[in-house]
């Protein structure tokens, strides 16, 4: 079992920046690729970003490319999502998830509880 706790979400003005964190406990964090997802009110959950176990392979949704950056610190069992140039359409609950394939398979085994990001115009 892997427990994931996401944090860092808050209200921010458009154009601002925010860094989300997701800290893992349980099994060895470095065995997992990690992903970030988000769900806006009335919409389905969507993929935002992913990062391989060693940070060498990253993927991003087109809507966040060039603005968001995923990173991780395996010594701290933590993955980050740096969000810059935020837009009102980035408003959502953001979730982190763990994928047991080190370079990611797209199938996530564990999910965190979510953290709310609200971007005001």
């Amino acid at each position: 079992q892997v427990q994931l706790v996401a944090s860092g979400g808050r209200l921010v003005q458009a154009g601002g920046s925010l860094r989300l964190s997701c800290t893992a406990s349980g099994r060895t964090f470095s065995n997992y690729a990690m992903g970030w997802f988000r769900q806006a009110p009335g919409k389905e959950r969507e993929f935002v970003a992913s990062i391989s176990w060693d940070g060498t392979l990253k993927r991003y949704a087109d809507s966040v490319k060039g603005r968001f950056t995923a990173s991780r610190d395996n010594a701290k069992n933590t993955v980050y999502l740096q969000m810059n140039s935020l837009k009102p359409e980035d408003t959502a609950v953001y979730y982190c998830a763990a994928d047991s394939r080190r370079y990611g398979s797209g199938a996530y085994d564990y999910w965190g509880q979510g953290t709310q990001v609200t971007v005001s115009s």
Side-chain angles (χ1 to χ4, degrees), residues 6-33:
S7 62
R10 61 176 176 86
L11 174 64
V12 63
Q13 286 191 332
S17 297
L18 204 56
R19 189 177 79 161
L20 304 183
S21 301
C22 174
T23 300
S25 60
R27 294 189 176 179
T28 305
F29 179 68
S30 59
N31 285 342
Y32 294 85

Side-chain angles (χ1 to χ4, degrees), residues 13-94:
Q13 286 191 332
S17 297
L18 204 56
R19 189 177 79 161
L20 304 183
S21 301
C22 174
T23 300
S25 60
R27 294 189 176 179
T28 305
F29 179 68
S30 59
N31 285 342
Y32 294 85
M34 297 297 294
W36 286 99
F37 292 78
R38 66 186 181 186
Q39 187 167 20
K43 295 187 177 182
E44 293 187 353
R45 185 172 60 195
E46 64 175 357
F47 169 80
V48 174
S50 65
I51 183 169
S52 61
W53 73 280
D54 57 359
T56 59
L57 179 62
K58 301 179 185 181
R59 297 187 175 97
Y60 298 96
D62 288 344
S63 58
V64 306
K65 278 181 183 176
R67 300 189 298 123
F68 290 11
T69 302
S71 62
R72 65 190 295 161
D73 185 338
N74 287 342
K76 295 183 178 179
N77 289 352
T78 301
V79 62
Y80 304 99
L81 185 67
Q82 177 67 43
M83 305 187 294
N84 298 328
S85 302
L86 283 161
K87 305 175 181 179
E89 51 264 43
D90 294 319
T91 294
V93 177
Y94 283 71

